[in-house]
Amino acid sequence: MEDRKNILILFFIVFMTICCNGTQSLQNEKKVFVKKLSCGYKEYFVCYDKDTSQCSCIFSPVRSHGFRMQLYRSPNEKMFFNFIDEDENDTTAFGGFKKPREKIFRSPTSAEMIDEIRQCLSVASKKYNLNNLFRFSFRLYDWCDIAIQTSEILEKENKLNVIKHADINKALEKTSLKDSLVNIFGCYGKTIKEIACYELINSIRKENLKDYSPLYKDSHCPNEIVDVEVFVSFDDAH
């Protein structure tokens, strides 16, 4: 009788474990969606059930160079949707709009965003030969945690008032950016050749990060957040 009772208890524990794990899997279910854009561009992004992530990975071919990948982030719209007529009647959870949506897309944490990029790469690797990926780029503002880290370093060095590209490059070396990039691209055999910023440098009020990161509320966060285009090149692209 005692053995039967123990068996029933064990069965109940196993049953509850399976149910809880099943519920957790359902809650955390993620899927990568792909949207074909013009000129051979493709947009990859993650949906958590029906909750679309703010982040997208844009893959674009470059004649005789292979292809490049760009991180794009928006709280309420997806890149290129305002310019592509064929998506006007899209009925999926993430499309079907010509103007920015009122609903704010899901804002991933830095760790979640890194995982999303990795997932998009995993799906894209079935389409693209990642040996031919020669560049990854993003607006520093879109990778908001790194933008905050960079701005904090520049503020400590009294370089936020007159910012130079060289100063940003040196500050980026002191952030967690390179470790994150190695985490993302290292499993595909990609080796980072250079991380550098170019183009126009902007300063953005930290309140503008409210739709991207809760870190903007941190009292140590500078009032002005630096924003610039960051390019990551790989030395093994061919």
Side-chain angles (χ1 to χ4, degrees):
M1 188 71 177
E2 187 68 25
D3 290 342
R4 184 179 179 184
K5 181 179 179 181
N6 290 337
I7 291 173
L8 288 173
I9 292 173
L10 180 61
F11 175 80
F12 178 77
I13 293 173
V14 172
F15 176 77
M16 291 301 296
T17 301
I18 293 172
C19 289
C20 290
N21 288 341
T23 302
Q24 185 177 13
S25 298
L26 183 62
Q27 290 174 343
N28 296 331
E29 183 179 1
K30 292 179 284 187
K31 183 178 180 181
V32 176
F33 284 86
V34 184
K35 297 294 290 183
K36 291 183 179 180
L37 308 174
S38 60
C39 302
Y41 285 43
K42 284 193 175 183
E43 180 178 30
Y44 290 72
F45 57 92
V46 172
C47 279
Y48 296 72
D49 193 12
K50 291 185 178 179
D51 198 0
T52 303
S53 171
Q54 292 180 353
C55 297
S56 288
C57 293
I58 310 296
F59 289 80
S60 55
V62 178
R63 186 176 300 174
S64 75
H65 280 84
F67 67 96
R68 60 194 173 195
M69 174 182 171
Q70 176 189 0
L71 173 69
Y72 173 79
R73 185 169 185 169
S74 172
N76 58 356
E77 64 180 340
K78 287 299 178 187
M79 193 174 186
F80 291 92
F81 270 24
N82 288 336
F83 308 99
I84 302 179
D85 294 334
E86 55 262 33
D87 283 318
E88 186 171 6
N89 296 318
D90 195 326
T91 58
T92 55
F94 49 81
F97 52 91
K98 298 293 285 183
K99 296 180 180 179
R101 301 176 60 165
E102 293 181 3
K103 181 186 181 228
I104 300 298
F105 285 149
R106 187 182 194 278
S107 177
T109 64
S110 182
E112 287 174 334
M113 188 182 76
I114 291 170
D115 188 57
E116 288 179 17
I117 298 172
R118 192 186 295 112
Q119 290 181 69
C120 290
L121 267 174
S122 178
V123 174
S125 67
K126 297 176 175 61
K127 171 69 177 179
Y128 299 95
N129 180 355
L130 294 186
N131 286 332
N132 296 325
L133 174 62
F134 71 92
R135 190 174 74 193
F136 171 64
S137 64
F138 60 93
R139 294 293 307 183
L140 189 55
Y141 179 73
D142 288 342
W143 202 318
C144 49
D145 292 3
I146 298 299
I148 291 174
Q149 290 179 35
T150 304
S151 302
E152 288 174 339
I153 293 168
L154 291 171
E155 184 179 53
K156 289 178 182 178
E157 297 175 351
N158 297 315
K159 294 179 179 177
L160 267 183
N161 293 328
V162 181
I163 308 174
K164 299 178 180 179
H165 288 95
D167 294 332
I168 299 175
N169 290 340
K170 290 179 181 178
L172 284 172
E173 292 176 0
K174 300 175 183 178
T175 70
S176 59
L177 175 62
K178 187 169 184 178
D179 288 341
S180 297
L181 293 172
V182 170
N183 190 330
I184 293 168
F185 295 100
C187 56
Y188 295 99
K190 308 300 293 182
T191 304
I192 297 171
K193 180 180 180 181
E194 183 184 34
I195 301 174
C197 64
Y198 302 94
E199 311 296 343
L200 180 67
I201 300 173
N202 296 318
S203 292
I204 300 172
R205 295 291 298 176
K206 71 175 184 178
E207 290 80 6
N208 293 333
L209 287 172
K210 66 181 183 298
D211 292 331
Y212 295 98
S213 173
L215 295 179
Y216 85 96
K217 295 180 180 179
D218 192 325
S219 60
H220 299 292
C221 178
N223 290 324
E224 298 290 332
I225 305 299
V226 64
D227 181 43
V228 70
E229 191 78 18
V230 178
F231 294 91
V232 181
S233 59
F234 303 100
D235 63 8
D236 54 352
H238 60 272

